[in-house]
Amino acid sequence: MASTDPHAIGGSYCCEQIDSALLPAEPAPLSTEQAESLWKVFAAIGRSWKNDFSRTDSAGMRSSWFEFVTLRCVQSPSYLAEYENAVEVLAELTRLYNEEIAYEKLFYGIGPIKTQPRTRLEHCKCYVVNEFIKVQIVASGFRGFGGKNRAMNYNGFVRGTRYNRIEGVREFMPPKKNRRAK
Amino acid sequence: MSEHDYILVGAGVAAATVARKLLEADRATSILILEAGPRVPERDRRGWWNYVIDGSKPYDFARDKKHEYETVGGTFWDFYDNRVMAYGGSTLHWGGWSLRLQPEDFHMHDNTGEGVNWPFDYWALHHYYHQAENQLSVCGQLSESWNSHRRDQEYPVPAFKWAAPDGEMYRAFTDLGIEPGLMPIARYRKCMMTGTCKYCPLGGRFTAQHLLDEIESDPRHKELRIACRATVRRIIADSKSKVSGVEYLDNDGNVYTASAARVVLCSGAYESPKLLMLSTSSFWPAGIGNQNDLVGRFIVSHSMLFARGHQKGNAECWLQEYDFPTIMSRTYDSPAYQREGKLFLFRNRAIPKFDFAEMMIQGRRRDEIERLLAGAREVELQGFLEEKGRFDDRLTLGEGRNQFGLPFTRVSFSRPPEVLAQAHNRLGLMQAVVERMNYTVDRQLTKVDHPGGHHTTGTCRMSHSARDGVVDPNLRVHDVDNLYICSNAVFPTGSAVNPTLTLTALSLRLADHLLGRPYQDAQQPLPQKKSKANA
């Protein structure tokens, strides 16, 4: 059921107030279904900011993301409960609106959450969406910006197996006659 | 009879280098390395992702906390982010900048009438510098004019390429008669330029952890033991001229003693003098080597200078792509500038910076982010200003002990007005570069900052005589036969560049001395005769 607050996003589950700390969980892997639900969030970030890698993923976006969420779950402190919460939040938002509007509200309707997250929806934004955004940017998503002047490298970006055969950064070539100052 | 041939106090680059060379000569050498801090996992994937996501690093807890240090005196001494107290030492967080001191740095007093000379000249370290560069896998280019004294000593690894934003500064430098150069950086394994140097996922940037892991895992080194969370609290003096070993605590506060034929303090410029001060006895009432009250004095580091500028557009969409600076200059790190204070210049590699993720987290849409990316751009030229150590500037023991059982630190430092005036003079030169680049200088962020303790030196300085310093030219504590100090503390002058390469060279040189080998002194070149055409 949608919240009665006209400004609130989501229903009773999303608006439930909970402690701001990471939801406690024992380390354990994600199930396949949970992983697929979370992957949809990650892919939606790409679509929303026009960094759509769904057709080609030669940069290994999916493998970077999967390594990230796996480590987040199987090592302490485990994010498993946060990911389970995020799956439920998305399910409620999708039921109340539709899938694309759910992502629109999640990505643009909440803000950066400078203070600690206070609701299940804010937990989803803080511990899942914000972190997925960072993972996507460093795992080559930064290249989606800048058009013909896009950067070749970024803090956190790990180049692939051809790393020593392609340029690492945008380079400056000094003029030959001026390579040493007078 | 001693339990060990050597006890090395501290597990940073100095201890790793000394230990490795001793073991290469004799694999059965008995060495005990005692490190107060913990082991921090290297190349841990979750630890790396944490760094990428929120900037936290696995060794952040091993730094000085605010209540653990005190700065007194007229000038604030910045302890923040200075060092890491852990296995591998401060190389866990260093930037890898690896520059040799210049020949004139060894003759400060002769050239300026201030400070002191080193008890040997550059040529005593020339071959050791080359070995250090090979050990740290330093990349650089030989063609720069300040490298002329290197002769044919090539860097082991080619330099990184210039980054696109370097071009503006390159042109401004050359227009103003400043020679641009490429920053020599210590790599170790293959660098893939992940831009996460402070916790490299690949071990691409050198840390002493790599070296310690290598020697510890070598099955031939049966008598090497490295103990972490083992805080040495005093050196045990058997007589005025001999030490027998150390007393140390483990994590539970249990006290142990260990004996060795020789003890080497590889504990950095803060802990080396503090340990001497703590080691009082009837033979040394003021602490070992402190008979002339020189331990802890002449503390000096680099003052930081910043010149920031901004301009309206960033049509090229430049942003940070390396996590280390590429363009630098040593034009002002030369004999002509030694009297007034040498200056080492380099571009702040983190500016311009653009945080796409933060824009997205704030809820900004794609087209707005693109507009911001092409919007205003900043540049920052930074400088290390050399300062000269003074008698009244000193490090002493603070009240209390930190989480590792190390005593708190107190620094009294006061920068004289004439030095501040010199610094502002240098700042004017840096502003001229920024203006030449067609940026508007940001007056608020263009400043002379207080000294940062990252490059602290001088607290147990070298000298020929105990009247002038704490250790002799062999790094042996004056009047003590078997106690040595191998840390930045022994530098008589701080120069204008980072100290780690010089420390590594000194460590290699000390190892030769400990092994009874002759020093590998280089032949000083003869002055060139002027031809009739140039007369």
Side-chain angles (χ1 to χ4, degrees):
Chain A
M1 190 171 98
S3 168
T4 53
D5 179 348
H7 301 293
I9 297 173
S12 58
Y13 185 87
C14 287
C15 296
E16 182 185 348
Q17 301 231 332
I18 56 175
D19 191 80
S20 60
L22 191 75
L23 296 172
E26 287 297 317
L30 283 166
S31 68
T32 305
E33 294 75 20
Q34 288 169 329
E36 286 308 312
S37 296
L38 293 169
W39 173 251
K40 284 186 180 178
V41 178
F42 192 83
I45 291 169
R47 286 196 307 277
S48 190
W49 276 278
K50 300 185 178 59
N51 183 31
D52 192 359
F53 48 85
S54 57
R55 282 179 299 144
T56 66
D57 188 21
S58 61
M61 192 77 84
R62 175 139 182 157
S63 63
S64 295
W65 170 84
F66 189 67
E67 182 203 43
F68 174 77
V69 295
T70 301
L71 288 169
R72 275 289 197 242
C73 286
V74 302
Q75 292 184 10
S76 288
S78 174
Y79 271 55
L80 188 59
E82 290 292 347
Y83 290 155
E84 289 168 346
N85 175 69
V87 169
E88 294 302 320
V89 163
L90 258 304
E92 180 171 84
L93 291 176
T94 304
R95 276 198 305 276
L96 289 172
Y97 313 109
N98 63 42
E99 192 171 313
E100 288 310 307
I101 293 176
Y103 289 131
E104 175 78 13
K105 287 182 180 293
L106 187 57
F107 298 159
Y108 302 107
I110 302 173
I113 308 176
K114 293 292 184 190
T115 55
Q116 299 296 324
R118 295 161 302 164
T119 66
R120 289 191 174 277
L121 178 70
E122 290 181 357
H123 265 253
C124 175
K125 176 69 161 65
C126 180
Y127 290 109
V128 181
V129 172
N130 290 355
E131 292 198 359
F132 282 11
I133 285 172
K134 291 182 183 181
V135 171
Q136 187 168 122
I137 286 299
V138 305
S140 82
F142 64 93
R143 289 181 171 177
F145 298 90
K148 64 177 172 63
N149 292 322
R150 65 195 187 106
M152 299 188 70
N153 199 20
Y154 198 76
N155 286 4
F157 176 57
V158 182
R159 294 188 291 159
T161 51
R162 291 180 296 147
Y163 70 95
N164 59 349
R165 280 184 265 143
I166 52 177
E167 293 303 328
V169 299
R170 288 174 292 177
E171 272 182 56
F172 162 68
M173 289 295 294
K176 276 191 177 155
K177 62 176 180 176
N178 281 340
R179 275 185 193 163
R180 283 182 59 172
K182 294 170 192 163
Chain B
M1 173 116 174
S2 303
E3 295 168 71
H4 306 280
D5 298 317
Y6 298 94
I7 290 173
L8 307 184
V9 182
V13 65
T17 302
V18 170
R20 184 207 221 185
K21 196 161 179 182
L22 293 175
L23 289 164
E24 277 175 350
D26 180 357
R27 303 284 176 194
T29 307
S30 171
I31 302 175
L32 173 63
I33 298 177
L34 296 169
E35 165 57 48
R39 290 197 195 225
V40 172
E42 186 196 11
R43 290 177 288 159
D44 178 76
R45 291 301 292 180
R46 171 100 186 229
W48 181 76
W49 275 115
N50 288 344
Y51 177 38
V52 169
I53 295 298
D54 63 23
S56 64
K57 297 170 284 299
Y59 53 78
D60 280 343
F61 73 98
R63 298 186 190 282
D64 293 286
K65 314 274 187 302
K66 273 191 183 162
H67 66 279
E68 295 170 352
Y69 53 81
E70 193 183 355
T71 168
V72 299
T75 305
F76 180 77
W77 183 272
D78 193 352
F79 281 83
Y80 176 72
D81 210 28
N82 274 193
R83 59 178 182 157
V84 178
M85 291 166 279
Y87 175 90
S90 294
T91 57
L92 292 183
H93 82 150
W94 76 315
W97 310 3
S98 299
L99 302 108
R100 302 186 183 194
L101 265 56
Q102 300 288 60
E104 65 272 11
D105 290 325
F106 294 79
H107 301 280
M108 170 73 83
H109 191 266
D110 286 346
N111 295 341
T112 70
E114 294 179 79
V116 291
N117 295 334
W118 287 54
F120 47 78
D121 62 17
Y122 166 83
W123 302 101
L125 286 185
H126 178 72
H127 290 310
Y128 294 108
Y129 269 131
H130 192 47
Q131 292 163 28
E133 286 166 350
N134 278 292
Q135 176 173 294
L136 306 185
S137 296
V138 178
C139 63
Q141 66 178 12
L142 200 58
S143 57
E144 293 143 8
S145 66
W146 46 75
N147 286 329
S148 59
H149 55 280
R150 291 175 61 105
R151 302 173 191 160
D152 298 328
Q153 286 182 349
E154 290 279 357
Y155 283 98
V157 183
F160 285 100
K161 304 285 175 65
W162 304 93
D166 291 337
E168 295 180 313
M169 191 169 286
Y170 186 102
R171 283 184 284 273
F173 272 178
T174 51
D175 287 349
L176 294 172
I178 301 170
E179 181 178 350
L182 278 165
M183 182 73 82
I185 300 286
R187 305 200 219 186
Y188 193 72
R189 300 189 180 95
K190 195 80 174 185
C191 173
M192 290 176 67
M193 292 178 280
T194 66
T196 50
C197 300
K198 295 285 184 178
Y199 192 70
C200 179
L202 313 163
R205 184 206 59 193
F206 176 86
T207 82
Q209 269 184 331
H210 306 328
L211 212 49
L212 290 167
D213 287 348
E214 277 186 17
I215 59 175
E216 191 181 40
S217 62
D218 191 323
R220 296 171 295 179
H221 302 155
K222 291 183 169 45
E223 302 301 324
L224 169 67
R225 185 175 152 235
I226 304 174
C228 292
R229 298 273 195 184
T231 306
V232 175
R233 65 178 191 179
R234 72 184 184 99
I235 306 159
I236 303 168
D238 264 2
S239 68
K240 186 77 188 271
S241 62
K242 205 164 180 319
V243 300
S244 61
V246 301
E247 187 178 277
Y248 67 96
L249 304 177
D250 68 9
N251 209 26
D252 297 318
N254 299 313
V255 181
Y256 302 89
T257 57
S259 62
R262 284 163 159 167
V263 175
V264 185
L265 306 189
C266 305
S267 322
Y270 289 168
E271 299 309 322
S272 299
K274 286 196 281 178
L275 188 51
L276 292 181
M277 292 176 205
L278 286 169
S279 302
T280 57
S281 64
S282 56
F283 309 113
W284 296 99
I288 295 179
N290 201 21
Q291 67 275 43
N292 294 317
D293 190 27
L294 294 177
V295 171
R297 289 195 186 271
F298 308 104
I299 187 171
V300 72
S301 185
H302 294 129
S303 287
M304 287 286 297
L305 276 58
F306 303 93
R308 180 85 70 102
H310 59 264
Q311 59 175 233
K312 286 187 184 154
N314 186 22
E316 301 90 344
C317 299
W318 285 340
L319 48 80
Q320 178 188 0
E321 293 195 47
Y322 284 128
D323 197 21
F324 44 81
T326 32
I327 188 166
M328 61 84 167
S329 179
R330 300 187 79 171
T331 294
Y332 297 99
D333 179 17
S334 58
Y337 301 95
Q338 193 173 21
R339 187 179 299 276
E340 290 179 8
K342 300 168 120 203
L343 182 68
F344 171 51
L345 295 173
F346 46 94
R347 186 172 74 84
N348 182 346
R349 86 282 188 183
I351 294 174
K353 188 170 187 70
F354 199 84
D355 192 337
F356 296 107
E358 183 57 32
M359 300 282 124
M360 293 159 69
I361 287 167
Q362 289 173 6
R364 297 180 192 273
R365 295 188 187 267
R366 165 70 182 255
D367 50 2
E368 184 183 3
I369 296 174
E370 293 276 9
R371 274 198 307 277
L372 288 169
L373 176 61
R377 181 166 78 210
E378 288 186 308
V379 70
E380 187 170 86
L381 179 60
Q382 297 179 329
F384 288 152
L385 180 71
E386 179 186 26
E387 296 206 35
K388 302 176 182 76
R390 292 169 289 272
F391 180 81
D392 289 333
D393 295 329
R394 71 179 311 183
L395 174 148
T396 51
L397 294 161
E399 298 284 332
R401 288 183 179 265
N402 71 7
Q403 60 181 314
F404 306 122
L406 295 167
F408 291 174
T409 310
R410 181 183 291 127
V411 169
S412 174
F413 183 83
S414 298
R415 185 190 284 142
E418 59 270 22
V419 172
L420 192 58
Q422 287 163 6
H424 280 285
N425 179 274
R426 294 282 181 262
L427 194 63
L429 180 168
M430 292 167 64
Q431 284 179 254
V433 173
V434 171
E435 285 165 347
R436 187 75 187 195
M437 295 168 68
N438 292 321
Y439 283 73
T440 303
V441 171
D442 186 326
R443 303 281 167 202
Q444 276 201 316
L445 295 176
T446 294
K447 59 182 177 176
V448 176
D449 211 350
H450 37 254
H454 303 81
H455 303 152
T456 304
T457 58
T459 51
C460 297
R461 71 182 189 183
M462 269 189 268
S463 63
H464 286 294
S465 159
R467 285 193 311 274
D468 304 311
V470 177
V471 300
D472 69 14
N474 299 318
L475 306 190
R476 188 183 57 89
V477 174
H478 284 295
D479 301 331
V480 184
D481 294 341
N482 61 342
L483 177 63
Y484 297 81
I485 300 177
C486 190
S487 80
N488 297 347
V490 305
F491 289 28
T493 55
S495 82
V497 297
N498 314 59
T500 301
L501 185 70
T502 300
L503 174 60
T504 308
L506 283 172
S507 304
L508 291 162
R509 185 175 181 269
L510 173 63
D512 271 349
H513 172 75
L514 296 173
L515 289 166
R517 294 172 177 170
Y519 285 136
Q520 300 171 46
D521 291 341
Q523 193 81 8
Q524 184 172 354
L526 294 170
Q528 286 191 335
K529 286 184 185 173
K530 287 185 183 175
S531 67
K532 283 186 184 174
N534 290 334

